[in-house]
């Protein structure tokens, strides 16, 4: 089910509109409305994350030096300590003994930020980012599923 669309009017400096039109052309947005809606959605996600209590879904991506002693073990410990929020992870082997790990997470924004901070601050992690969204992963199974007879 899609949300109903409402029309609004906004005023902006001409220079800003020209830059918006240039971005639309480069990124492939169909219209100014689509681009502005995308930007507003991103700002609302960041706002929800800053409040901390809204349940969100996203990814934490880290790149680390896999040759660092005990680093992989420490990263796994952090993920296990937060097993309720860590849904899955993907490891991609890179050149020069580096690994990229993409971790799918869901939970309160504040908790997800804490997990990302823990992972990124480990010695040997080169960099990390977190990207969140307000849409949620539907439940995969219910504890109350009755057994088939």
């Amino acid at each position: 089910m899609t949300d109903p669309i409402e029309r609004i009017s906004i005023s902006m400096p001409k220079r800003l509109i020209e830059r918006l039109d240039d971005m639309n052309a480069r990124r492939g947005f169909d219209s100014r409305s689509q681009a502005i809606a995308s930007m507003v959605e991103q700002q609302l996600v960041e706002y929800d994350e800053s409040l901390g209590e809204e349940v969100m879904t996203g990814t934490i991506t880290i790149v680390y030096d896999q040759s660092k002693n005990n680093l992989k073990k420490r990263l796994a410990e952090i993920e296990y300590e937060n097993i309720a929020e860590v849904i899955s992870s993907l490891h991609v082997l890179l050149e020069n003994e580096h690994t990229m790990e993409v971790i799918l997470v869901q939970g309160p924004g504040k908790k997800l930020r804490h997990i990302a901070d823990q992972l990124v601050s480990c010695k040997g992690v080169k960099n990390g980012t977190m990207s969140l969204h307000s849409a949620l992963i539907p439940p995969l199974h219910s504890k109350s599923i009755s057994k088939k007879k």
Side-chain angles (χ1 to χ4, degrees), residues 70-79 81 118-119 122:
N70 297 319
L71 177 58
K72 289 193 289 188
K73 181 180 183 227
R74 180 63 190 130
L75 294 173
E77 287 172 350
I78 293 168
E79 291 177 39
E81 290 166 2
Q118 282 185 296
L119 293 166
C122 289

Side-chain angles (χ1 to χ4, degrees), residues 106-141:
Q106 181 169 281
K110 188 177 193 177
K111 175 75 172 179
L112 300 181
R113 170 56 52 203
H114 178 71
I115 295 167
D117 289 346
Q118 282 185 296
L119 293 166
V120 171
S121 66
C122 289
K123 187 174 182 178
V125 173
K126 302 296 183 182
N127 62 51
T129 59
M130 182 172 69
S131 175
L132 296 179
H133 196 275
S134 58
L136 300 180
I137 300 168
L140 298 176
H141 300 284

Side-chain angles (χ1 to χ4, degrees), residues 28 50 52 58 66 70 82 92 95 106 114 122 124 145:
S50 72
Q66 65 183 15
N70 297 319
N82 298 286
V92 179
E95 296 178 331
Q106 181 169 281
H114 178 71
C122 289
I145 294 177

Side-chain angles (χ1 to χ4, degrees), residues 27-43:
R27 292 184 62 194
F29 286 111
D30 290 335
S31 65
R32 289 175 178 165
S33 292
Q34 183 186 20
I36 292 170
S38 176
M39 288 183 261
V40 168
E41 175 69 27
Q42 181 59 39
Q43 287 298 308

Side-chain angles (χ1 to χ4, degrees), residues 41-57:
E41 175 69 27
Q42 181 59 39
Q43 287 298 308
L44 291 172
V45 166
E46 289 178 22
Y47 176 73
D48 287 344
E49 177 189 347
S50 72
L51 294 178
E53 298 307 318
E54 188 77 20
V55 174
M56 309 179 88
T57 299

